[in-house]
Amino acid sequence: MKRFIKIAAAFGAAALSLGFIVSLIENKTTQRQNNKAGSHHPFGVYEKYFKRPIDFALSLIAIILLAPILLVTGIMVRVQLGAPVLFLQERPGKDEKIFKLYKFRSMTDTRDEEGNLLSDEQRLPAFGERLRATSLDELPELINILKGDMAIVGPRPLLVEYLPRYNERQSKRHWVRPGLTGRAQVKGRNGITWEEKFEEDVKYVEKITFWGDCKIVFQTVAVVLGQKGVASDTSVTMEHFMGNGAETVIE
């Protein structure tokens, strides 16, 4: 047991050190991009020097430790829902840079007689609902965190088509890397309105702290175990955001 702890500690330290190196390289690249674009976002010590290395180290360790769960879940998705196992979709990240988000697929590709996809309700089987309720479908996003597309905590990455629909304040959610979880997820998940979600996202961006991130992670565990807010009041997923002052529609 002691040997295992020593190996785990050594591996964790190595991963964290590698994360610091990766972070320094990324910070220099980001600084050059910001200087060219004339944009600026003030960083705290934790956000500038520690958040990315910690995310890198923890995501690497999580991928290794959760490899059996990732493998079993992937096999079950293949059996229950077919191929492809992973759902890839373009999402906007930090500074609205587009990246490919990785998730386990949770819906079928069932279509009507004219070849059109059926509604989310009709394409989301019981197995898919369980995947979403337990957040197992989100596990492949650990790869996005390792790559630097995402962080463990931050505003959730939404659809590219939403970018022109945000107001000036809501756009601040793209000042930072999107997260695997965030304030909006622990404040109600899909059970709150878009406006409430965005306000929680902006509040997070305006004050990022180590203890704040830790609190959100622990609250996320409680939310996932309690399976709260998986669906909105009117849909099995979440209504599309149509813009400020516009009505949302279910697609």
Side-chain angles (χ1 to χ4, degrees), residues 22 34 64 85 143 147 194 196 209 244:
V22 170
N34 286 344
I64 294 173
V85 171
I143 300 173
K147 290 172 58 182
W194 281 115
E196 291 171 327
T209 66
N244 295 280

Side-chain angles (χ1 to χ4, degrees), residues 56-234:
F56 181 92
L58 292 181
S59 61
L60 179 59
I61 293 172
I63 289 172
I64 294 173
L65 294 179
L66 298 176
I69 296 178
L70 287 164
L71 178 61
V72 171
T73 303
I75 293 174
M76 292 180 66
V77 169
R78 180 67 177 84
V79 172
Q80 295 285 335
L81 303 175
V85 171
L86 291 180
F87 170 74
L88 276 64
Q89 188 176 57
E90 290 190 337
R91 299 287 177 94
K94 185 177 183 295
D95 299 324
E96 300 184 359
K97 181 181 178 181
I98 308 301
F99 69 95
K100 286 188 177 180
L101 179 80
Y102 303 103
K103 295 178 68 173
F104 282 124
R105 69 179 301 183
S106 57
M107 292 195 293
T108 66
D109 291 327
T110 309
R111 300 173 182 270
D112 60 22
E113 295 178 354
E114 297 178 356
N116 300 313
L117 284 173
L118 298 180
S119 66
D120 288 352
E121 287 84 353
Q122 293 172 298
R123 294 190 297 120
L124 184 65
F127 174 74
E129 289 183 357
R130 288 195 295 273
L131 277 182
R132 293 190 176 194
T134 56
S135 292
L136 286 174
D137 63 319
E138 310 281 358
L139 287 182
E141 291 173 35
L142 290 169
I143 300 173
N144 290 118
I145 298 174
L146 191 67
K147 290 172 58 182
D149 300 325
M150 294 175 59
I152 292 176
V153 179
R156 284 293 297 163
L158 302 176
L159 299 180
V160 175
E161 66 190 68
Y162 292 173
L163 287 175
R165 302 175 188 176
Y166 301 128
N167 59 35
E168 185 176 352
R169 178 169 173 77
Q170 293 168 349
S171 294
K172 289 183 179 180
R173 68 193 311 278
H174 291 292
W175 281 4
V176 300
R177 287 183 177 88
L180 183 65
T181 186
R183 275 185 58 131
Q185 281 59 55
V186 300
K187 295 291 184 179
R189 210 169 176 181
N190 287 334
I192 58 178
T193 66
W194 281 115
E195 289 71 22
E196 291 171 327
K197 281 187 177 185
F198 296 148
E199 185 58 28
E200 294 297 336
D201 289 340
V202 174
K203 286 180 180 179
Y204 172 78
V205 170
E206 292 176 339
K207 189 177 181 180
I208 297 177
T209 66
F210 173 73
W211 294 114
D213 278 6
C214 290
K215 182 179 179 180
I216 290 173
V217 169
F218 286 124
Q219 289 177 324
T220 298
V221 174
V223 169
V224 171
L225 291 177
Q227 298 185 10
K228 300 176 181 178
V230 179
S232 71
D233 293 335
T234 56

Side-chain angles (χ1 to χ4, degrees), residues 233-244:
D233 293 335
T234 56
S235 174
V236 296
T237 53
M238 184 67 188
E239 296 87 351
H240 279 218
F241 175 61
M242 303 305 293
N244 295 280

